[in-house]
Amino acid sequence: MRLRALLENEALGLRLLGGDDELDRSVRGVMTTDLRDPSRYLSGGELVLTGLAWRHAPEDSEPFVRILAEARVAGLAAGEAELGRVPDDLVEACARYRMPLFAVHESVAFATITEYVVRQVSGERAGDLAAVVDRHRRMMTSGAAGGGPEVVLGLLGSDLDLRAWLLSPTGRRIAGPGVGAPGGSAADGSGGTDPGAASTAGPAATTATTDTTDTTDTTGTAAVAAGALPAEVGTALAAEHLAASRAGRRPPHRVTVGGTTYSLFPIGAAEDTPAGTPGEDRGAVLSDWLLAVEADAADWPAARLDLLQGVTQLIAVERDRRDAARTVRRRLAAEVLELVQSGAAPAEIAARLRVAAPVLLPGPDTAPHWQVVVARVDWSRDGSGGVDADGDGTATGPVAQALLEEILVDPAAQGAEPADRIAVAHTGGEAIALVPLSVLPPTGDGPAVEEALHAETLLAAVREPLSAGLDGDGRLTLGVSAAVSSAEGLRGALEEARHARRVAAARPGRVCAAGHHELASHVLLLPFVPDDVRRAFTARLLDPLRDYDRRHRAELVPTLEAFLDSDGSWTRCAAQLHLHVNTLRYRVGRIEQLTGRDLARLEDKLDFFLALRMS
């Protein structure tokens, strides 16, 4: 705002005592002080309000005005309550230094002037920021991103004193104060500066008090408290966001964590279907980024909400760019997995791996070890909470792919472009990742391989938010293979990861994982049995029992499973099934009659056991 605007507002009752030709100066803030030397609290552009308590003699006026002029303040407003009028020596000093001087009537409170200036400057700053965001968004729609989300969040911090963080759906901090800065301190331009300052979430102003000085600075130089968003808070915010979105509540979602209120804005939802509205794609909720603003948006005007909506659209462009950068890795994974699943020769797979390795693991390692991770998201058909395990048409491969890519990011990595080595493809309802493990310098008899991925470790940081996002009608299951060192081992690793995922799917919970170490030794051999042989073997043994169960509503297959799990103990099996032993004997006899096998023989028991595991 301009100084002359103060005279245009009759409610302020200000009288101009000098500086008519300086009224076009811009006012960037307001400061109230009665210190003799307030220079350390001035940054330029302020309207200084004073009650003249610092003036003990006429000679005090000249040094005071000189300090204000050297600090390039916009103007001085002196109250008349202390002395009854503004002294002539102050008027003369202001004229000497070309300092605009206003007289404040004793009936006008400094707080009234402060509120007016803050409101005017905040509105102008928000309008300027909105114009910047809109211009930047238009530029980015036809070209590469310029500056990334850090620049946008820096504008929110410097122009509106709003601390904000960009979070992944699992709560990983992508951008914002403290992200990527050494020691967890705020990075330059992120909005966090002086650790001793206090943060406000009201108008774009920050107030600090020292001795008898009250400083309100709308430039953000007094700034907000520094420091990164704690990881546990990011996780909690992501969980609250996913739960609110799944419940169909309209954003922004207002939540309180650790006594601090945050407003959460989704990133990446279709413009014509606002995130959080009923009918939104439930899979998209699980893959959207979110903007967490340390403020309560309940009382924000429409203009500020529109500004934050513009910011989310701008960041969505960055999200699209990040996804495009992963296209090469996704294509490499798809090509390798297609060769593996089609039974291609190991030499052909190895050649493709030699192409993939330098992209996924830059550096001297050209033949790393590999792990396979398989993930699947399943939704219940009717929303009742029961999961459609078959996933015929209801599983979401792209969503599983996005979640698996996020899960595989190093939990310690922060930023929009972490140094991940992610190659994830999706086929049907599955997402499959090829993860390279570098070969470290040898430390003994052979080369040392970097520590492999562990199923529970992968889910430790993401279980809480993803469980909130899946609550009610979805599940995420994950399987991790052992590390293999050659193309010949990839098919076995893929089947191993798939078996591990099935083990995880048999467990309770919305987010479950299992690793290769949880698979019995016979499971490791099954991937090498041709598919047609497996199908014929299981059909020969189990189809007669399944047909009988369908016709007679019997329970022969569950009875067979329980009998084998009980190691052939009639008493333990009958107790497990809540049957009389004679009823159990009848059922086992019927199984033997239909299949021509003898469950007293070890060989026949083993055949049934393998058939059940392969089915």
Side-chain angles (χ1 to χ4, degrees):
M1 62 172 289
R2 304 294 180 182
L3 274 175
R4 66 175 65 256
L6 296 171
L7 298 174
E8 295 169 357
N9 188 334
E10 296 181 358
L12 300 181
L14 298 180
R15 290 183 292 110
L16 183 64
L17 300 181
D20 305 58
D21 54 348
E22 300 291 337
L23 291 180
D24 283 329
R25 291 186 181 185
S26 295
V27 180
R28 301 175 60 194
V30 62
M31 172 184 175
T32 302
T33 184
D34 279 312
L35 292 178
R36 287 175 177 270
D37 181 5
S39 58
R40 62 181 176 272
Y41 304 113
L42 297 171
S43 58
E46 296 92 349
L47 171 68
V48 175
L49 305 177
T50 180
L52 300 178
W54 50 267
R55 181 185 177 278
H56 301 291
E59 57 267 23
D60 293 338
S61 293
E62 194 280 337
F64 180 80
V65 176
R66 173 168 44 81
I67 290 171
L68 300 187
E70 291 174 349
R72 296 182 176 277
V73 303
L76 174 65
E80 297 178 321
E82 182 75 17
L83 302 177
R85 65 182 183 85
V86 177
D88 293 338
D89 49 272
L90 182 58
V91 176
E92 293 170 1
C94 287
R96 187 178 307 119
Y97 288 97
R98 303 179 62 83
M99 178 64 61
L101 176 62
F102 300 87
V104 183
H105 193 270
E106 62 180 4
S107 63
V108 178
F110 283 175
T112 302
I113 301 173
T114 299
E115 181 182 356
Y116 174 75
V117 173
V118 167
R119 187 166 56 249
Q120 294 298 312
V121 174
S122 297
E124 292 175 2
R125 300 291 286 179
D128 292 343
L129 179 56
V132 170
V133 169
D134 185 62
R135 182 171 65 253
H136 197 37
R137 183 174 66 249
R138 289 198 305 269
M139 291 171 60
M140 291 175 65
T141 55
S142 60
E150 293 83 0
V151 171
V152 181
L153 300 189
L155 287 173
L156 290 178
S158 63
D159 283 32
L160 296 184
D161 289 329
L162 291 177
R163 288 213 301 173
W165 292 267
L166 181 60
L167 305 177
S168 76
T170 64
R172 179 173 59 87
R173 292 152 294 165
I174 297 171
V179 175
S185 61
D188 292 340
S190 66
T193 53
D194 178 13
S199 173
T200 67
T206 303
T207 302
T209 302
T210 305
D211 296 331
T212 59
T213 302
D214 178 58
T215 305
T216 304
D217 178 7
T218 57
T219 66
T221 55
V224 292
L229 187 75
E232 61 273 16
V233 175
T235 300
L237 291 177
E240 293 283 356
H241 166 72
L242 288 173
S245 297
R246 295 286 292 115
R249 299 206 301 268
R250 282 187 171 276
H253 309 306
R254 297 164 46 243
V255 300
T256 300
V257 177
T260 302
T261 300
Y262 300 86
S263 298
L264 309 179
F265 298 82
I267 304 291
E271 293 186 7
D272 56 347
T273 306
T277 57
E280 181 192 12
D281 179 11
R282 52 189 175 179
V285 170
L286 290 172
S287 56
D288 283 346
W289 285 354
L290 68 139
L291 180 66
V293 181
E294 190 182 77
D296 189 343
D299 299 324
W300 281 6
R304 180 166 288 203
L305 289 172
D306 289 344
L307 171 61
L308 266 293
Q309 181 62 30
V311 169
T312 63
Q313 293 171 2
L314 186 58
I315 295 175
V317 178
E318 285 291 309
R319 174 69 186 271
D320 292 341
R321 186 179 68 86
R322 194 288 308 263
D323 286 343
R326 285 185 172 172
T327 300
V328 172
R329 297 196 293 270
R330 289 170 174 170
R331 185 170 63 248
L332 284 171
E335 291 173 352
V336 172
L337 291 170
E338 183 178 357
L339 291 174
V340 170
Q341 296 186 100
S342 64
E348 187 177 358
I349 299 174
R352 180 54 56 184
L353 286 177
R354 284 194 293 273
V355 172
V359 175
L360 302 178
L361 192 65
D365 296 316
T366 56
H369 289 61
W370 300 86
Q371 272 185 287
V372 177
V373 183
V374 173
R376 185 180 179 95
V377 173
D378 290 289
W379 302 104
S380 62
R381 292 179 176 176
D382 56 4
S384 62
V387 175
D388 175 18
D390 295 330
D392 46 354
T394 61
T396 50
V399 175
Q401 180 184 46
L403 285 180
L404 187 52
E405 287 176 336
E406 174 62 28
I407 290 169
L408 291 176
V409 173
D410 181 357
Q414 295 184 12
E417 300 291 347
D420 53 47
R421 300 162 309 184
I422 299 169
V424 183
H426 72 85
T427 171
E430 277 186 338
I432 306 170
L434 287 176
V435 181
L437 304 175
S438 61
V439 178
L440 305 177
T443 57
D445 297 335
V449 179
E450 100 175 47
E451 185 176 358
L453 301 174
H454 295 281
E456 281 304 312
T457 303
L458 286 176
L459 291 187
V462 303
R463 180 174 275 112
E464 178 187 347
L466 293 185
S467 295
L470 291 161
D471 188 32
D473 60 355
R475 293 196 73 198
L476 169 67
T477 50
L478 195 88
V480 182
S481 77
V484 296
S485 59
S486 65
E488 289 86 345
L490 273 184
R491 185 185 178 200
L494 175 58
E495 291 297 325
E496 188 176 70
R498 283 173 166 162
H499 280 298
R501 193 204 63 79
R502 294 189 188 103
V503 170
R507 295 172 174 167
R510 290 291 167 190
V511 180
C512 298
H516 61 92
H517 59 283
E518 300 180 64
L519 303 180
S521 58
H522 70 276
V523 176
L524 303 181
L525 301 176
L526 294 182
F528 300 100
V529 178
D531 290 341
D532 54 348
V533 174
R534 280 196 274 179
R535 284 193 295 269
F537 180 74
T538 56
R540 185 167 60 251
L541 281 177
L542 300 182
D543 279 2
L545 305 182
R546 290 167 176 161
D547 291 341
Y548 188 88
D549 283 346
R550 278 195 297 270
R551 291 196 309 271
H552 300 282
R553 298 182 180 275
E555 298 288 338
L556 296 187
V557 173
T559 299
L560 175 61
E561 290 179 310
F563 187 72
L564 296 175
D565 288 342
S566 302
D567 296 326
S569 169
W570 296 98
T571 304
R572 289 206 309 273
C573 183
Q576 178 181 336
L577 296 175
H578 304 289
L579 298 175
H580 191 279
V581 172
N582 288 341
T583 303
L584 176 61
R585 291 185 182 278
Y586 171 81
R587 289 188 181 179
V588 170
R590 178 64 67 182
I591 291 170
E592 293 175 334
Q593 178 185 3
L594 291 171
T595 60
R597 299 298 185 105
D598 182 359
L599 280 171
R601 286 166 40 89
L602 176 61
E603 293 88 344
D604 288 342
K605 286 181 182 177
L606 181 59
D607 283 348
F608 277 122
F609 178 81
L610 292 176
L612 289 169
R613 290 299 179 271
M614 288 189 292
S615 64

